[in-house]
Amino acid sequence: VANDVVVITGAAGGMGVACARAMKDAGSLLLVDVNAETLAQAAKVLEAEGLATEQLRCDVTSLSDVEALAQRVSSLGTFRSLIHTAGISPTMADGGRVLEVDLVGTARVLIALQPLVTQGSAAVCIGSIAGYADASAAVEAILDDPLRPDFVAQVTAALGGELDPGAGYSLAKRGVMRLCERLAPVWGALGGRLVSIAPGLMDTEMGRSELSQQEMMPIMVDMTPVKRPGMGPLPGLPEDIAATAAFLCSDGGSFISGCDIRVDGGLIGASRHLGGVM
Ligand SMILES: NC(=O)c1ccc[n+]([C@@H]2O[C@H](COP(=O)([O-])OP(=O)(O)OC[C@H]3O[C@@H](n4cnc5c(N)ncnc54)[C@H](O)[C@@H]3O)[C@@H](O)[C@H]2O)c1
């Protein structure tokens, strides 16, 4: 653990803070977020709990920012873990911007950190159950090249000229899953691993904002098989994601790579059997 560096992006957010807590004994924590103010607040809360952290303001869509991130990591020590939670949801921006932050940003971070991958490095990227929505083979082929300069225009054209925020989100998250599958052999050759997590309906600020604005959400909450005592308006907790991400980064997860892990209380599975008997 001495000299090991753990990077958490979106560290000012609900899942980010939970991940920082879950990774407190895994190395030096470098907290990253685009919002310097909320990042400083999160660091303060964690400090009061006894967690020492470094912070870096970084917009994951900016090439120079992610290059500065990689430099900071190598100056701190050995790259051990990345938990990439930075992202925006469909109610926060137009479809193009959602694709930029959620998929292009993820690709930028992974590509920037790749030269630092060494034996035991692991990255966990937070996707979404939205990524399980089908996409055509033609669109998927474009999703697999997120760093091309005309990426958003190409996706939009392949969809017939319209990219609404919901489609942008589903495609971005599908792209994240595929990116982790695709880069896993490259990381594996360097001794590293790459996994995505698909959260279901999680009780964070983002989750609550989607709940208040999307008609389908209460139905999906009802459909989620896991019901727990004391459950809030959304069935999942940021700590559920953090615990899974911490396991995936640990030695216990060392044969898991190039796949997506659903942490959704069974929602995707249940939705595949709608109308089934039993
Ligand atoms: N909450 C849910 O129900 C849910 C469900 C499925 C997937 N997810 C995914 O989980 C991840 C974390 O979500 P959350 O619920 O913690 O949301 P959140 O809004 O609480 O946190 C997201 C954080 O990402 C940061 N961020 C946004 N754009 C950024 C950028 N360009 N560069 C760097 N940081 C940026 C924000 O400032 C924020 O602190 C997201 O990728 C989201 O899509 C959430």
Side-chain angles (χ1 to χ4, degrees):
V1 174
N3 248 8
D4 280 355
V5 182
V6 174
V7 181
I8 297 172
T9 72
M15 285 184 208
V17 169
C19 288
R21 290 188 179 113
M23 295 296 284
K24 71 176 166 45
D25 298 323
S28 312
L29 295 181
L30 175 59
L31 306 185
V32 173
D33 203 286
V34 69
N35 187 329
E37 211 172 298
T38 53
L39 180 61
Q41 284 164 11
K44 227 172 166 185
V45 168
L46 292 168
E47 193 187 346
E49 297 171 15
L51 266 79
T53 63
E54 301 263 337
Q55 300 104 48
L56 178 69
R57 188 212 161 265
C58 163
D59 178 346
V60 296
T61 64
S62 154
L63 183 56
S64 54
D65 281 12
V66 295
E67 280 172 353
L69 166 61
Q71 262 170 24
R72 181 73 169 269
V73 173
S74 64
S75 75
L76 286 171
T78 307
F79 169 48
R80 169 63 60 174
S81 312
L82 163 72
I83 306 181
H84 175 60
T85 84
I88 56 175
S89 62
T91 54
M92 294 181 186
D94 63 37
R97 181 68 191 157
V98 172
L99 263 182
E100 289 276 353
V101 175
D102 290 358
L103 178 52
V104 180
T106 302
R108 283 207 193 291
V109 171
L110 293 181
I111 296 298
L113 292 179
Q114 197 163 284
L116 307 181
V117 173
T118 177
Q119 193 62 43
S121 302
V124 175
C125 295
I126 306 300
S128 170
I129 52 168
Y132 282 80
D134 280 338
S136 72
V139 171
E140 282 190 333
I142 301 166
L143 290 182
D144 287 347
D145 194 7
L147 296 182
R148 63 192 284 171
D150 57 349
F151 174 64
V152 171
Q154 287 292 328
V155 174
T156 310
L159 292 174
E162 280 235 21
L163 176 66
D164 65 61
Y169 189 73
S170 300
L171 293 176
K173 297 301 191 177
R174 194 169 187 86
V176 167
M177 269 186 228
R178 293 177 63 87
L179 183 62
C180 291
E181 288 175 359
R182 225 173 47 252
L183 289 183
V186 183
W187 283 49
L190 300 166
R193 295 180 296 111
L194 199 45
V195 187
S196 60
I197 289 180
L201 310 178
M202 314 308 291
D203 197 1
T204 65
E205 206 172 302
M206 181 189 284
R208 286 185 184 217
S209 152
E210 296 300 312
L211 177 64
S212 67
Q213 294 178 62
Q214 293 212 36
E215 276 178 3
M216 272 300 287
M217 288 277 285
I219 299 164
M220 291 165 73
V221 170
D222 272 356
M223 270 175 56
T224 299
V226 172
K227 318 277 178 202
R228 295 182 286 195
M231 193 178 104
L234 289 151
L237 297 173
E239 289 74 19
D240 296 321
I241 303 303
T244 307
F247 168 72
L248 290 170
C249 290
S250 75
D251 289 345
S254 62
F255 199 51
I256 305 177
S257 193
C259 64
D260 186 69
I261 309 282
R262 299 196 305 250
V263 183
D264 68 345
L267 176 56
I268 287 290
S271 71
R272 286 179 172 170
H273 297 273
L274 276 181
V277 217
M278 280 250 322

